[in-house]
Amino acid sequence: VGPYLTGGLAYQWWNVDAQQAADSNNSALGVALGGGYRFNRTFMLEGRFTTGQFRSDSGQANAFQALASMRFLGLATPQGNRM
């Protein structure tokens, strides 16, 4: 319960639908940084920013992701006892 930070590598796939040029897509390795808040054992909210290079001459490709996560508790505790 409480705030947390995340960080890591992201694999990004971008598809550009250009009006004046040919369509293009690209995949690249990026960096992801974010943070969130876990309210209890079941529910958390998280925001994440990812950035990566889109082609070598086209600049950065950025995205912000928001996540609401709900954990479904199993029928057994980690020790194997029934709840």
Side-chain angles (χ1 to χ4, degrees):
V1 177
Y4 62 91
L5 297 174
T6 64
L9 298 176
Y11 179 77
Q12 299 173 322
W13 182 76
W14 301 95
N15 185 24
V16 177
D17 185 12
Q19 303 229 343
Q20 301 297 325
D23 292 350
S24 175
N25 59 46
N26 185 58
S27 60
L29 193 62
V31 176
L33 297 172
Y37 191 85
R38 173 173 258 171
F39 294 94
N40 52 41
R41 289 182 61 196
T42 306
F43 186 71
M44 67 181 185
L45 295 175
E46 182 175 312
R48 187 180 307 137
F49 177 76
T50 60
T51 184
Q53 189 73 24
F54 184 79
R55 302 205 171 216
S56 59
D57 58 348
S58 298
Q60 291 294 112
N62 302 319
F64 180 77
Q65 301 167 340
L67 171 74
S69 179
M70 185 172 213
R71 181 177 143 190
F72 295 98
L73 301 176
L75 297 177
T77 62
Q79 293 81 20
N81 300 328
R82 290 279 185 203
M83 294 178 86

